[in-house]
Amino acid sequence: MGVSCGCVERHDHAVLTVTDLTVRYGRAVHALQGVSLEVPDGAVVAVLGGNGAGKSTLLRAISGTLRLHRGTIDAGEITLQGRRIDQLDPATIVRSGVVQVPEGRQVFAQMTVADNLRAGGLAAAPERRAPARERVLDLFPVLAQRRGQRAGLLSGGEQQMLSIGRALMSDPKLLLLDEPSLGLAPRLVTRIGEIVAEINDQGTAVVLVEQNATMALRVAGHAAVLEVGRVALAGTTEQFADSDEIARLYLGGHAESEEQARVEADRAATSRRTLSRWSG
Amino acid sequence: MTEFLQLTVSGLGKGAVYALLALGFVIIFKATDVVNFAHGSLVLLGGYVVIATKDILGYAGAAAVGIAAAGLGALLVERLLISQSKLADPISLVLLTIGVDVIITEEIIRRLGVTAPFLGGPLEGAPLRLGNIVVFRPQLIALIVGVVLITAFFLAFRYTGWGVAMRAQAENREATALMGIRSSWVTGSAWLVAGLLAGVAVLFIATQDFSGAGLGRGTHAIALAAFPAAIIGGLDSTGGAVLGGVIVGLTEAYTAGYISFDFSESAIYLVMLLVLVARPVGLFGTRELSRV
Ligand SMILES: Nc1ncnc2c1ncn2[C@@H]1O[C@H](COP(=O)(O)OP(=O)(O)O)[C@@H](O)[C@H]1O
Ligand SMILES: [Mg+2]
């Protein structure tokens, strides 16, 4: 990808391209500044970064829902297979094949599992609904078992699966996932990772926003790290894995004990400022 | 016993009309988060169009046009005013609907002059006998039409894509937008349906035997009783709207029959206050008015 300098190296086979995107909320909050990102055809791209880094903002900009949060795009552009989508409304963006699974699942708690899935398919052409539904129930057999239950009664993991399944009901080309592993037990985090890989194998490109870098990098082929609204690092996941500095700073999960984790976190905090910009 | 049965059927008939109106309140509230105080004026608008076209189109045609006009009127209020001020706070939106209500109501009353005409048609005429009880036509027919329309509404709400979209948007606007569902389509259709139901309701309200009030301030005041009906049931509950309508209708019929006609209107609001004190969100509601 090589986007750490803000100059975009364009690939011919990108499904999504974000170029120099600047977003603010209200007048004062600059959530993204000059962010560029590319999602190659059929790829899984991980977007990593701490709380408040701008990950959700990036997804909202792509899905056209910034306005619901009183956010605006100040500069930059977003293209889907070469066509600009940054001026479109969310409904049109979904119809052109990009669907976002929001942070915190946001299933329709009062509605049944079946109705949640139906809601997800309303924007799809009628003849594509049945195959999409089949695919979703194949991926998540538990949703078929629970179809008559209210979504609010499902466990956290099941709600996440419903939220992803609901998004797949419109048969997207590109799926945007906002921290799907948040709040889930380790076993389920692994399961979510497998599911993302499976969805990708079926031909859907994925942008995977995560704080759990270990899981995300296992699934993704490319990754970018956001830091206070800017892309701090970007590259292929091999490059990420090869770099000790990055592993220590961002990947986490290596600490054997809480004590060690705290020491590493301190060290990371002090060296962050001096981190040399690293370009893939 | 005969009197009780008679009051019950009549109360249920009135209740069906209140239920149609309260259902409109509730779906507008669910879809737009707006308490629509312009509902009474939409009722008048439908009635006015019936009066204005009756001589040309005949009763049935005029009734159809009146219902359509009330629906379109509601849709226009939503398109031209509510959706243009999406980010305004709920209080100013409520004030906006009050403004719309005054403007439409006063204009219609001005056009009608001193007369408060009845809409007439097959809803007027000799009372009907059911066994040994006697029921006024508008109440009995309202009961039948109400049951049919309310059933149709609930089937649509439960089973159609429109119903799924309505329920989804009522729960979570952002998640609904992320499904590619156009929120303007959902809100617009909610106002349209609410207006159509108001257009049906006025056919019953503005008759001699329903209330004795012709099209005018009397009709408007009766339509306002749908507001306590919606509050009693819970402003965000469609089932509650129907129950609230029935409670208001029966309260009115029983108090008018057993106590005094003049007390019946206060009785409705008395019941509303009792429910609000015991359960601020209404019988089936989940959201308090103060947290609108
Ligand atoms: N609706 C909003 N209004 C104002 N500021 C916001 C809003 N949403 C997010 N922000 C701010 O924008 C920045 C990026 O937030 P966000 O994209 O949610 O980060 P992340 O998803 O990486 O945790 C943060 O500083 C956050 O406080
Ligand atoms: Mg976030």
Side-chain angles (χ1 to χ4, degrees):
Chain A
M1 297 217 302
V3 285
S4 59
C5 61
C7 47
V8 184
E9 182 190 319
R10 283 184 187 277
H11 290 251
D12 292 334
H13 302 291
V15 57
L16 185 87
T17 313
V18 175
T19 313
D20 289 328
L21 187 69
T22 297
V23 171
R24 75 185 145 80
Y25 291 105
R27 292 233 171 74
V29 184
H30 290 273
L32 294 180
Q33 305 202 19
V35 167
S36 297
L37 180 83
E38 198 175 75
V39 182
D41 244 353
V44 177
V45 175
V47 175
L48 310 173
N51 264 330
K55 304 181 300 297
S56 299
T57 302
L58 176 60
L59 295 194
R60 285 173 193 152
I62 300 169
S63 65
T65 51
L66 266 180
R67 224 157 47 110
L68 296 173
H69 297 267
R70 305 194 185 191
T72 42
I73 295 180
D74 272 352
E77 58 180 64
I78 303 171
T79 58
L80 178 72
Q81 296 177 319
R83 270 184 51 225
R84 273 188 77 159
I85 58 168
D86 47 272
Q87 305 297 327
L88 304 179
D89 61 275
T92 311
I93 292 172
V94 169
R95 280 169 183 73
S96 49
V98 180
V99 179
Q100 181 191 351
V101 176
E103 195 171 31
R105 335 203 190 304
Q106 305 205 29
V107 296
F108 302 116
Q110 307 292 321
M111 290 164 52
T112 62
V113 167
D115 279 348
N116 267 269
L117 293 180
R118 209 167 154 208
L122 284 177
E127 70 275 6
R128 275 165 53 201
R129 287 178 195 162
R133 204 182 131 79
E134 222 162 276
R135 171 193 184 192
V136 168
L137 296 182
D138 263 4
L139 268 172
F140 307 109
V142 66
L143 297 183
Q145 289 159 29
R146 300 275 155 101
R147 75 175 108 42
Q149 237 177 60
R150 278 195 190 193
L153 299 176
L154 302 182
S155 71
E158 289 165 346
Q159 290 194 8
Q160 187 61 61
M161 292 178 194
L162 177 56
S163 189
I164 297 174
R166 185 179 65 174
L168 289 175
M169 286 295 291
S170 64
D171 194 18
K173 299 196 256 278
L174 175 64
L175 186 65
L176 312 172
L177 295 172
D178 198 347
E179 303 206 33
S181 78
L182 194 69
L184 299 184
R187 189 178 46 82
L188 279 171
V189 173
T190 309
R191 180 77 195 108
I192 295 285
E194 290 163 8
I195 287 165
V196 171
E198 204 173 331
I199 290 168
N200 181 243
D201 281 346
Q202 296 170 347
T204 309
V206 179
V207 174
L208 176 58
V209 162
E210 268 297 342
Q211 291 198 45
N212 187 327
T214 314
M215 181 273 264
L217 291 178
R218 202 156 47 219
V219 183
H222 301 258
V225 176
L226 280 183
E227 249 183 39
V228 280
R230 296 175 193 274
V231 176
L233 301 166
T236 64
T237 40
E238 289 97 54
Q239 288 168 322
F240 270 64
D242 288 348
S243 162
D244 283 349
E245 185 184 32
I246 287 150
R248 190 160 46 75
L249 287 177
Y250 294 106
L251 308 191
H254 300 298
E256 303 294 324
S257 67
E258 275 188 36
E259 178 56 27
Q260 193 186 342
R262 213 172 308 124
V263 170
E264 297 217 345
D266 286 349
R267 202 188 318 146
T270 47
S271 60
R272 185 167 307 227
R273 253 164 261 120
T274 57
L275 172 72
S276 49
R277 292 266 150 151
W278 174 86
S279 145
Chain B
M1 191 61 199
T2 311
E3 188 187 11
F4 176 75
L5 275 180
Q6 204 152 299
L7 290 174
T8 303
V9 175
S10 153
L12 287 175
K14 290 192 163 189
V17 172
Y18 294 136
L20 293 178
L21 293 172
L23 209 48
F25 262 133
V26 167
I27 58 176
I28 285 177
F29 180 71
K30 282 175 84 83
T32 343
D33 285 344
V34 175
V35 180
N36 176 29
F37 280 97
H39 224 65
S41 69
L42 297 172
V43 167
L44 282 186
L45 176 65
Y48 177 74
V49 171
V50 175
I51 297 284
T53 58
K54 203 165 63 163
D55 290 342
I56 312 162
L57 301 173
Y59 180 80
V65 174
I67 292 168
L72 282 178
L75 183 60
L76 282 179
V77 171
E78 193 275 332
R79 288 290 83 180
L80 299 180
L81 298 169
I82 305 291
S83 73
Q84 300 306 316
S85 49
K86 249 180 199 135
L87 298 176
D89 65 302
I91 300 294
S92 45
L93 287 181
V94 165
L95 291 175
L96 191 148
T97 65
I98 292 176
V100 169
D101 189 65
V102 171
I103 292 167
I104 298 178
T105 303
E106 293 307 318
E107 176 58 18
I108 288 173
I109 287 172
R110 189 183 69 80
R111 282 168 180 251
L112 290 170
V114 288
T115 62
F118 294 111
L119 300 190
L123 296 175
E124 306 278 17
L128 302 166
R129 294 195 74 87
L130 284 178
N132 56 356
I133 67 170
V134 180
V135 192
F136 288 122
R137 276 173 192 242
Q139 276 88 324
L140 188 64
I141 299 173
L143 185 53
I144 297 164
V145 171
V147 167
V148 170
L149 288 182
I150 288 166
T151 306
F153 173 83
F154 277 99
L155 289 176
F157 201 61
R158 176 80 189 74
Y159 295 108
T160 66
W162 173 77
V164 170
M166 281 283 305
R167 285 182 284 138
Q169 177 148 318
E171 243 196 79
N172 188 329
R173 206 166 250 271
E174 183 180 16
T176 306
L178 288 175
M179 303 294 93
I181 297 165
R182 286 183 206 284
S183 85
S184 61
W185 181 79
V186 175
T187 52
S189 66
W191 281 76
L192 176 69
V193 168
L196 294 173
L197 293 177
V200 173
V202 73
L203 300 178
F204 300 101
I205 298 174
T207 58
Q208 180 94 58
D209 292 331
F210 192 87
S211 59
L215 196 70
R217 288 190 207 287
T219 304
H220 191 264
I222 292 163
L224 271 192
F227 190 61
I231 298 276
I232 288 168
L235 252 188
D236 62 341
S237 164
T238 47
V242 175
L243 180 69
V246 169
I247 289 174
V248 166
L250 288 175
T251 303
E252 189 184 324
Y254 292 144
T255 46
Y258 292 126
I259 303 172
S260 104
F261 180 78
D262 292 330
F263 178 60
S264 61
E265 193 178 332
S266 343
I268 294 170
Y269 286 87
L270 207 58
V271 171
M272 179 183 91
L273 291 184
L274 289 176
V275 168
L276 277 183
V277 169
R279 227 183 114 70
V281 295
L283 296 176
F284 289 144
T286 60
R287 283 157 75 193
E288 281 177 50
L289 194 51
S290 62
R291 283 195 280 116
V292 163

